[in-house]
Amino acid sequence: MDSNHPASPADRPAQRSGAGEGSGRAAWLIAGDFLVTVNPIDGSEIVPCPPGRRPIAPRRASAARDGAAQPGDAVPGPPLLEREEERAKLRGLLASGRSVRLDAPSGAGRSALLAAVADDCAGLAPDGVIRLSGHRRTPRDLLHELYASVHQVTNYRPGPTELSAALRGIGAVVVLDDIEFGGAALDEMLTATPECAYLLASRPEAAAPGERAGLEEITLGGLSADACLELLRLAVARALTAAEQEWAVDLWRAGGGLPTHFIQAGAVLRYRSLTTAGPLPSVGGLPATLVASISESARELTRFAVVLGGELPEPAALPALTGDPDAVAAHTELIDCGLLSSVGQRRRLAPDVLAALSEADRSVAEQSRIAALTRHFSWWLKESEVDAHEAVAQADVLIAALRTAQQAGLAAETTELVRLTAPLMAAGLRWGAWERVLRTGQEAARLAGAVAQEAYFHHELGVLAICEGQLARARAELEASIALRGVLSDAGGAVAGRRALTLVDDLTRPPAPPVEHTPPVGSPPALVQAPPPEVNAPETPPAGSTELTLVIRGGSPEESGATLRRMLARGNRRNTVATGAGALVAAVLGTVVALTLTSGEPEGDAENVTRKDPAATAEDEPPAVEESTAEESPSEEPEDEEESESPSPSEEPSPTEPATPTDPPTTPDPTTPGPTPTETPSPGDGSGGGSGGGDTDPPTEDPTDEPTDPPTEDPDPPTEEPTDPPTEDPDPPSSGGGDSGGPGSTPSAPQDTPPISTPPAETG
């Protein structure tokens, strides 16, 4: 699909304009994010717009609507007199990008001046000049009409976001006449279109603009006496008599020099010349005098206009409405007399004329005219195959006919006409009129007791509320429609209502909560789920802990957990290196001690055997050396808390457990004379026996093997290997003490203090 064009027609259902209950014709349109199918029987259906159906970027119109031809322009109006100064000033302000509000009373020639200025401003802005009418329009209606004037769209009404973005890109001179609102509503409209320069003309009853509008104010007054006399001479196309000039001056003083009064005065002089002479009317009597002077066809049109509140259908529809083939000529006659004023692309009774004719006695046939209006428009919409665009052009007349019929008590006729009008207003994208028509039909159906019609109007109001984002109101309207159709057992209508109500539920459902983070497989929950600590928060170590507490700041929980695992792994490596270093030092010390004890002593030397001297007495014997066993020697607290138990003496020593020496044995007094040995050590009493280990933790079980036989030779002090082997294999000890431990001895860790050995006997 081209991004600059709507979806292909082949991808869309066939568009059928108009809808009536009898014909069952339907239409579709795209409204923002929704696809709406206007169903005049069961009620409109609304669903989210499918992908590819919504226009991505509607094609911009090739040319602006500069000076678009209007039906009323076919009849030339009076010339502009003494307006050159205001006309030049307005063009200068608009050319500089300023917005202007023209303050002028009714009949001052405001619409004619706006048309002349619009012609002068052609080519000033990129999007040219756009002429709009504010009659019976809301600010939202005007913004959508401004969008449609610049963009080429078909069956598409942009949503609020797209509309706002598109309006900010429109650069045009907007001529807006008959605006009926002011204050904050006007300020919002001007703010939504910052690149547009406005020329506004408000109705007298409209509110003043707010302070934020920033509009230049220009007041348009009446004409001078000379200009009024010239306008009167042009209207009658001849020179004025003295009496007529005197009468014109009186009109100028009483009416303030409004051009409309002198156009009507010229029509009075024209009709007066065709009839018998009579008194000249005052300013207030001009409309009544003219109505009495015009043709019967034109007079009948004024009666219909009064019934419709001043509105008149377009000239082409007048013959069918009045039954008079000369109705089009009568319409032109009313324009020449100054009894009709311009409202957008139509004409309606001038405000002073409507007020004057409404105060007069109404015809007794007024009720019949109201019924004729209702029948005519019902036939026109139902039988003449009117499309949505034609119906929208007559929206103000249709609304006026509905209001008049309702006030006249024709509830059933009003309900039927609303059923025919509402789908056309929806399909024609005139949604302000669509809402007013539905409200009128709902009240009429309630008064007439038409439950099915009332349910239909509730349903349509609910669909309209969904499109406008008013979901609470939409829910109330749809629930009322479903309840009424449930009473009538209307299955088709109830299904349509429930579908729309389901969409409201989907739109009002709160968003789903964010998905909780799932920790990776195998990650400790505490490291992943715990939130990161606050910045500059006090660091509180765990109770009873003496180790360093690692605090990782910032980052996500996953990053914090990964950093902590790396630091813990780094600490384990440091503990392993320290343990290996300690084991290596203990092994070296044990090797040095063993080499010291056995150095220079050949295996089996008789002098190394301690013999008891029979000549020695008990006093000459050295004191006995007390050996500390594994059970009696106290051991220190283990340095590493991770080691829960130590291997038994019969098992291979753990390569990761450091050896801790026990208390040193008691040494003999060096002052004791006679170092004569008295007894031979037994295998279980040697300092290097298997029971005197230096493990970090005492063994949980007794040694499995005890030496049962004494050694065949007097052993030298045994050479013991460390409980924890070093990271590198130490040099093996000398072969002299290899079997001194006995067959059942178990090696133990070396002692920090070397064991006491009996000095060898002196030789010689």
Side-chain angles (χ1 to χ4, degrees):
M1 181 178 63
D2 189 356
S3 60
N4 295 324
H5 295 78
S8 173
D11 299 332
R12 303 188 303 230
Q15 168 67 17
R16 291 175 291 179
S17 63
E21 184 178 1
S23 61
R25 292 172 293 170
W28 68 269
L29 57 93
I30 298 175
D33 297 330
F34 306 105
L35 175 63
V36 181
T37 302
V38 181
N39 186 350
I41 298 178
D42 295 328
S44 301
E45 298 181 2
I46 179 170
V47 295
C49 184
R53 296 288 298 275
R54 180 179 180 181
I56 297 176
R59 184 175 64 253
R60 200 171 184 83
S62 58
R65 311 292 179 87
D66 292 339
Q70 299 183 10
D73 295 340
V75 180
L80 286 174
L81 300 177
E82 295 185 350
R83 299 302 188 194
E84 289 79 8
E85 181 180 356
E86 292 85 351
R87 186 173 176 177
K89 186 176 182 180
L90 289 173
R91 187 189 184 282
L93 291 173
L94 294 173
S96 62
R98 303 296 299 274
S99 295
V100 188
R101 179 175 179 265
L102 185 63
D103 185 11
S106 298
R110 180 187 68 227
S111 298
L113 179 60
L114 292 181
V117 174
D119 294 337
D120 296 339
C121 294
L124 288 181
D127 294 317
V129 179
I130 300 175
R131 299 180 63 179
L132 300 176
S133 174
H135 181 65
R136 310 293 188 193
R137 264 73 165 182
T138 63
R140 184 176 300 176
D141 292 337
L142 291 175
L143 291 177
H144 280 279
E145 289 185 13
L146 178 60
Y147 175 88
S149 299
V150 179
H151 296 82
Q152 184 69 31
V153 294
T154 303
N155 306 329
Y156 177 67
R157 182 181 174 93
T161 303
E162 184 178 356
L163 177 65
S164 177
L167 291 176
R168 287 195 297 268
I170 296 177
V173 176
V174 181
V175 179
L176 182 57
D177 195 7
D178 294 312
I179 187 171
E180 298 180 351
F181 57 86
L186 180 59
D187 296 346
E188 292 178 2
M189 189 184 71
L190 297 177
T191 304
T193 54
E195 301 299 327
C196 292
Y198 281 87
L199 176 56
L200 306 175
S202 303
R203 298 283 294 272
E205 62 272 12
E211 298 179 356
R212 297 171 48 194
L215 296 174
E216 295 285 341
E217 295 282 346
I218 292 182
T219 303
L220 187 65
L223 301 176
S224 64
D226 294 339
C228 291
L229 290 174
E230 178 66 20
L231 188 61
L232 184 58
R233 283 193 296 269
L234 292 174
V236 296
R238 61 176 176 82
L240 299 177
T241 64
E244 292 172 345
Q245 292 181 0
E246 189 175 341
W247 175 58
V249 172
D250 293 339
L251 293 178
W252 176 78
R253 291 194 183 103
L258 296 180
T260 301
H261 294 161
F262 292 91
I263 294 174
Q264 294 173 355
V268 169
L269 292 178
R270 291 197 305 270
Y271 285 111
R272 190 170 181 268
S273 62
L274 300 176
T275 60
T276 58
L280 294 173
S282 62
V283 172
L286 289 174
T289 303
L290 282 174
V291 170
S293 303
I294 58 179
S295 63
E296 183 60 28
S297 297
R299 193 178 299 117
E300 185 66 17
L301 286 182
T302 60
R303 297 189 185 105
F304 275 102
V306 171
V307 170
L308 293 173
E311 304 289 346
L312 270 179
E314 60 181 7
L318 293 177
L321 174 63
T322 61
D324 186 359
D326 297 331
V328 177
H331 186 271
T332 304
E333 182 182 356
L334 293 177
I335 295 175
D336 292 338
C337 294
L339 298 179
L340 300 182
S341 61
S342 298
V343 178
Q345 297 181 356
R346 296 182 302 100
R347 298 279 183 167
R348 71 189 308 271
L349 284 180
D352 56 342
V353 176
L354 179 62
L357 296 180
S358 298
E359 294 176 357
D361 294 335
R362 295 188 176 183
S363 172
V364 294
E366 180 180 351
Q367 190 74 14
S368 63
R369 291 192 181 92
I370 295 175
L373 283 170
T374 305
R375 290 192 303 270
H376 165 74
F377 286 116
S378 297
W379 166 84
W380 181 62
L381 296 175
K382 188 175 182 179
E383 302 295 339
S384 61
E385 299 293 332
V386 176
D387 61 11
H389 299 290
E390 294 175 350
V392 166
Q394 303 297 322
D396 296 335
V397 180
L398 290 171
I399 293 174
L402 290 171
R403 183 176 60 250
T404 301
Q406 183 183 13
Q407 293 175 354
L410 304 176
E413 292 80 355
T414 303
T415 302
E416 180 184 359
L417 183 56
V418 169
R419 285 296 301 264
L420 298 171
T421 306
L424 294 171
M425 297 295 107
L429 302 178
R430 183 76 185 276
W431 284 9
W434 185 23
E435 182 176 3
R436 288 194 292 270
V437 168
L438 291 175
R439 296 292 180 190
T440 302
Q442 179 184 358
E443 180 65 19
R446 187 183 63 82
L447 294 176
V451 179
Q453 307 286 10
E454 186 178 0
Y456 170 83
F457 297 139
H458 277 295
H459 177 87
E460 295 296 285
L461 287 170
V463 172
L464 175 61
I466 294 176
C467 295
E468 294 181 344
Q470 301 176 1
L471 300 181
R473 195 185 80 184
R475 181 184 298 277
E477 298 287 355
L478 291 173
E479 289 177 350
S481 173
I482 294 173
L484 292 175
R485 284 174 166 171
V487 173
L488 298 174
S489 300
D490 183 2
V495 169
R498 282 193 292 268
R499 288 176 180 173
L501 189 59
T502 301
L503 179 60
V504 174
D505 294 337
D506 295 340
L507 295 175
T508 56
R509 183 178 296 113
V515 180
E516 296 183 359
H517 172 70
T518 303
V521 178
S523 299
L527 297 179
V528 178
Q529 297 179 359
E534 299 179 359
V535 179
N536 300 328
E539 301 177 4
T540 304
S545 176
T546 58
E547 295 182 355
L548 178 64
T549 302
L550 301 178
V551 179
I552 302 174
R553 304 184 184 276
S556 62
E558 291 81 3
E559 297 175 351
S560 302
T563 304
L564 183 57
R565 286 192 294 272
R566 288 196 299 269
M567 297 185 68
L568 290 178
R570 198 174 301 140
N572 291 336
R573 287 195 293 270
R574 286 196 294 268
N575 293 339
T576 303
V577 172
T579 303
L584 178 60
V585 172
V588 172
L589 289 178
T591 303
V592 171
V593 171
L595 291 176
T596 303
L597 294 177
T598 60
S599 62
E601 301 293 338
E603 185 178 359
D605 192 354
E607 294 182 354
N608 293 333
V609 179
T610 303
R611 299 181 183 275
K612 185 175 182 180
D613 189 1
T617 61
E619 296 177 358
D620 299 332
E621 294 180 0
V625 179
E626 297 180 0
E627 299 292 335
S628 60
T629 64
E631 291 79 0
E632 297 173 352
S633 61
S635 61
E636 300 176 357
E637 289 290 329
E639 296 179 359
D640 195 347
E641 295 179 358
E642 296 180 358
E643 299 175 0
S644 60
E645 61 180 334
S646 60
S648 62
S650 62
E651 298 175 352
E652 289 294 330
S654 173
T656 59
E657 295 178 357
T660 303
T662 58
D663 294 339
T666 305
T667 58
D669 188 2
T671 59
T672 304
T676 303
T678 58
E679 62 184 11
T680 302
S682 64
D685 297 334
S687 62
S691 61
D695 297 336
T696 52
D697 292 333
T700 57
E701 298 179 1
D702 293 336
T704 56
D705 296 330
E706 292 292 334
T708 56
D709 298 329
T712 56
E713 298 179 358
D714 294 332
D716 293 329
T719 301
E720 300 178 293
E721 296 181 358
T723 305
D724 298 330
T727 56
E728 299 180 1
D729 295 337
D731 296 335
S734 61
S735 59
D739 56 349
S740 60
S745 62
T746 303
S748 61
Q751 307 292 333
D752 290 343
T753 303
I756 303 300
S757 62
T758 305
E762 296 180 359
T763 58

